[in-house]
Amino acid sequence: MEESLPITILISATVVAGIAAQVLAGYFHIPSIVLLLLFGILLGRDGFDFLDPSLLGIGLEVVVSLSVALILFEGGLNLQLGELKEVSNELKLLLDKLLNKGELVIKWYRKRKNKGNSDYVAI
């Protein structure tokens, strides 16, 4: 019983902090991710050290995986393909530059190789 109390407090405090961040973000009309990150920093190791995610052990990986799956599923439900077609040309150009030509990676490597000097030519 005593072993599960810290985990219960961790999960409860995380849920309460998340709900509070969402409500405050709606009240102040700011993106919720801003307050969610702020609350996470303040309650985590770099802040007041109130929440310790290492208590979950391997369960943290499971929670993160399920959360990402839920976010992607919800994003797919709300995706409107008509809007995607409007930006498809720009998206194709961006993906072409990033994946096929590797322009971003080449620029970064050359800048790193030249110790920050930006005298490189993109391919």
Side-chain angles (χ1 to χ4, degrees):
M1 178 76 178
E2 289 180 22
E3 293 174 4
S4 63
L5 183 62
I7 295 173
T8 306
I9 292 172
L10 172 70
I11 293 171
S12 300
T14 302
V15 169
V16 168
I19 291 171
Q22 293 279 29
V23 169
L24 288 173
Y27 180 75
F28 291 117
H29 303 289
I30 59 174
S32 58
I33 189 69
V34 173
L35 289 182
L36 288 168
L37 283 170
L38 181 65
F39 278 39
I41 292 169
L42 289 176
L43 295 175
R45 293 184 193 126
D46 291 336
F48 299 117
D49 200 22
F50 181 71
L51 301 177
D52 184 16
S54 65
L55 288 174
L56 293 176
I58 192 68
L60 179 63
E61 184 178 330
V62 173
V63 170
V64 169
S65 297
L66 287 173
S67 300
V68 169
L70 182 65
I71 290 168
L72 291 174
F73 179 75
E74 192 269 337
L77 286 176
N78 292 326
L79 182 66
Q80 296 178 0
L81 293 177
E83 292 179 8
L84 188 60
K85 289 178 184 176
E86 292 175 10
V87 295
S88 65
N89 289 337
E90 291 85 4
L91 186 61
K92 286 178 187 175
L93 289 172
L94 176 65
L95 290 175
D96 182 54
K97 280 188 171 186
L98 293 177
L99 300 177
N100 295 334
K101 295 180 182 174
E103 186 173 321
L104 183 64
V105 175
I106 291 170
K107 283 184 179 179
W108 173 80
Y109 175 72
R110 287 186 178 164
K111 190 171 184 179
R112 185 172 169 251
K113 188 176 178 182
N114 293 331
K115 296 185 173 48
N117 297 332
S118 57
D119 55 347
Y120 51 80
V121 177
I123 295 173

